[in-house]
Amino acid sequence: MKTIQLLSQLFIPAFIFGAILYGVVKKVRVYDSFVGGAKEGVRVVVRIFPYLLAIFVAIKSFQASGAFDFSRQLLHAWLGSFAIPLEAVSIALIKPLSGSASLGLFTDIVKTTGPDSLASRLSAVIMGSAETTFYVLAVYLGAAGIKKTRYLVPVCLVADAVGIILAVLIVKWFF
Amino acid sequence: MNAIWVFLIGVSVVFAAANGRLEDFTKSIFDAARSAVEVSLFLLGIVALWMGIAKIIEDSGLIHKLSGVFRPLVCRLFKNIPADHPSIASITLNFLANLFGLGNAATPLGIQAMQDLQSLNKDPEKITAEMMLFIVINTASIQLIPFTVIGILADFGSQNPSWVVFPTFLATVLSAAFAVGALLVCRRILK
C-alpha cells in the first residue's frame, strides 16, 4: 500500500522530467514544443465545452426537478427485499451522474452512519468502482467530435448497473 | 446520447411542473452553465499542460519508442492499431494514470488517446470499435487503491479504512471484464 502510494506520487514528476530530459538530449526546442502543444490543448477544451454544457444541464435539472429523488425512492422500494440501505442506493444512482455530488454525499453518509457501517462500506466500494460515466462520455466523445455512438451508451449503462450489483454482492459477502 | 438527453430533460420538466419546482428547474440550468464553465476552466489548464508535454514527447520521437514498448500489452485488446502508432502510448498512459488513481492526469491522457484513435478513423462522425473499447474500460475505472475514499473513511475514524481496497479492486476488475465482454458480444451480433 505504501509502495503504491509512493509509485503514484512518483509517476507524474518522473514522467515530466523524463520527457523533458529526453527532448533536451534529442536537441528538441522543448519550450517551443510545449507552448505549441498547449495551444492545441486550448482548442480541444473549447471544442469539448458545448458537450459538457449539454450534459450538465440535463443532469442538474434532473436532480433539481425531483425526478432524481423519485427514481431513488422507487429503486429503494423495489430493492427492499435485498436489505440495501437507502444511502447506498443514492450513491449508486448519483455516481454515474456527478463526481462532486457523489463525493459530498459519500462524506455525509460516512459522517451520519459511522465509517464502519454497512452503508458506509457499500458506498465506499461503489464510489471506488463506479465512474462518472456521463462526464467521461461527454468529454471523450466531444474531444474526438463523434456524433454516431452506435451501441456504446447502452453498453456503458448496463456495465454501470452490473458493476454496482457486483459491488453490493461483494460487500455483502465480505461484511 | 440524443435519446438520453431528450429523456433527462423531458422527465425533468414534467417532474418540475408536477412538484411545483419550476423555479428550481430554471435555477439548476443556470447553475449547470456555471459549473460547465468551472469544469472547462479546470480542464483547460490540465489538458493544455498535458498537450504541451505530449508535444515534447512527439517532437523528440519518444512517443514512438513508448508505443513500441507498450505495444504487446495494448494490441491484444486493440487489434486494429498499427505498430508504434502514438495512440498506443496515450492509451497505456491513460490506463496507468487510472490504475494509480491520478484522475487529473487520466482525463487529458484519455482526450489525447481519443484524438489519436480518431486519426485512424475513416468516418470521423462514427465511433470506431477501438474507441468504444477504450471508453468502456475507462468507465469501469480500474483502480489499485481508492485513495480519496480511504482518506474520508480514515478522517471519520474508521477502524480499518483499507478494508475497502480488495472489494473495490475485485468489483472494478469484474465489472471491467463484464463491460468488455458485453462490448465484444454486441460487436459480433450487431456487425
Side-chain angles (χ1 to χ4, degrees):
Chain A
M1 174 118 170
K2 280 257 150 46
T3 336
I4 292 175
Q5 191 152 22
L6 188 71
L7 271 176
S8 302
Q9 284 169 358
L10 209 68
F11 187 73
I12 291 177
F15 189 81
I16 291 178
F17 180 71
I20 294 174
L21 191 70
Y22 190 84
V24 170
V25 170
K26 289 279 174 183
K27 302 205 166 51
V28 172
R29 294 185 55 89
V30 286
Y31 177 75
D32 297 312
S33 288
F34 180 83
V35 173
K39 219 178 270 177
E40 183 55 35
V42 174
R43 238 186 318 236
V44 175
V45 177
V46 170
R47 201 165 63 204
I48 293 172
F49 177 74
Y51 294 85
L52 215 53
L53 178 64
I55 210 72
F56 277 21
V57 165
I59 289 172
K60 292 249 177 188
S61 62
F62 189 71
Q63 284 174 278
S65 66
F68 176 75
D69 286 328
F70 177 77
S71 42
R72 192 181 61 163
Q73 298 291 350
L74 197 72
L75 193 66
H76 182 239
W78 185 59
L79 291 175
S81 46
F82 298 97
I84 295 165
L86 180 65
E87 291 89 347
V89 178
S90 309
I91 282 280
L93 276 178
I94 210 165
K95 177 75 198 196
L97 298 177
S98 160
S100 54
S102 62
L103 198 60
L105 182 63
F106 174 65
T107 313
D108 194 51
I109 292 171
V110 175
K111 196 156 72 182
T112 49
T113 67
D116 295 314
S117 67
L118 175 64
S120 289
R121 290 200 161 171
L122 265 173
S123 312
V125 173
I126 294 171
M127 276 296 285
S129 63
E131 182 55 87
T132 49
T133 307
F134 286 96
Y135 171 76
V136 170
L137 285 173
V139 169
Y140 286 4
L141 294 174
I146 296 289
K147 291 206 177 91
K148 296 174 198 149
T149 56
R150 289 154 82 184
Y151 44 85
L152 172 71
V153 179
V155 168
C156 280
L157 294 181
V158 173
D160 267 352
V162 169
I164 286 161
I165 294 167
L166 279 169
V168 172
L169 291 178
I170 290 170
V171 172
K172 288 257 177 183
W173 182 44
F174 274 90
F175 198 70
Chain B
M1 287 306 271
N2 192 45
I4 288 181
W5 201 67
V6 172
F7 172 79
L8 283 175
I9 294 201
V11 167
S12 302
V13 174
V14 171
F15 266 85
N19 291 341
R21 291 207 197 172
L22 286 169
E23 214 162 301
D24 291 333
F25 176 85
T26 311
K27 193 172 153 284
S28 75
I29 286 182
F30 293 113
D31 272 354
R34 200 184 49 220
S35 47
V37 171
E38 283 165 5
V39 171
S40 297
L41 272 181
F42 172 69
L43 274 180
L44 182 67
I46 56 170
V47 171
L49 178 66
W50 163 252
M51 296 269 177
I53 301 285
K55 191 85 173 90
I56 296 177
I57 300 173
E58 197 183 311
D59 289 348
S60 65
L62 187 60
I63 191 94
H64 296 290
K65 285 229 166 103
L66 283 174
S67 293
V69 173
F70 295 143
R71 214 180 81 81
L73 289 170
V74 173
C75 284
R76 288 186 159 232
L77 272 172
F78 298 84
K79 296 212 169 69
N80 295 326
I81 299 178
D84 80 345
H85 188 265
S87 63
I88 296 172
S90 48
I91 289 171
T92 319
L93 290 170
N94 166 270
F95 287 171
L96 282 175
N98 274 323
L99 203 59
F100 287 105
L102 305 164
N104 290 350
T107 310
L109 284 162
I111 289 171
Q112 177 95 49
M114 283 299 288
Q115 294 199 309
D116 291 341
L117 287 173
Q118 181 71 327
S119 71
L120 294 168
N121 193 354
K122 291 189 195 85
D123 176 1
E125 292 205 337
K126 197 172 166 193
I127 197 160
T128 63
E130 270 66 34
M131 289 177 178
M132 286 197 269
L133 189 56
F134 176 73
I135 291 179
V136 159
I137 295 176
N138 252 280
T139 53
S141 85
I142 300 180
Q143 201 181 79
L144 284 180
I145 295 186
F147 291 111
T148 319
V149 166
I150 294 178
I152 292 171
L153 288 177
D155 276 351
F156 287 96
S158 171
Q159 298 295 311
N160 181 16
S162 52
W163 179 88
V164 297
V165 172
F166 185 65
T168 304
F169 187 68
L170 196 63
T172 57
V173 169
L174 288 177
S175 73
F178 172 84
V180 171
L183 198 63
L184 294 181
V185 168
C186 282
R187 188 190 294 182
R188 188 149 297 176
I189 295 173
L190 299 172
K191 207 159 198 180

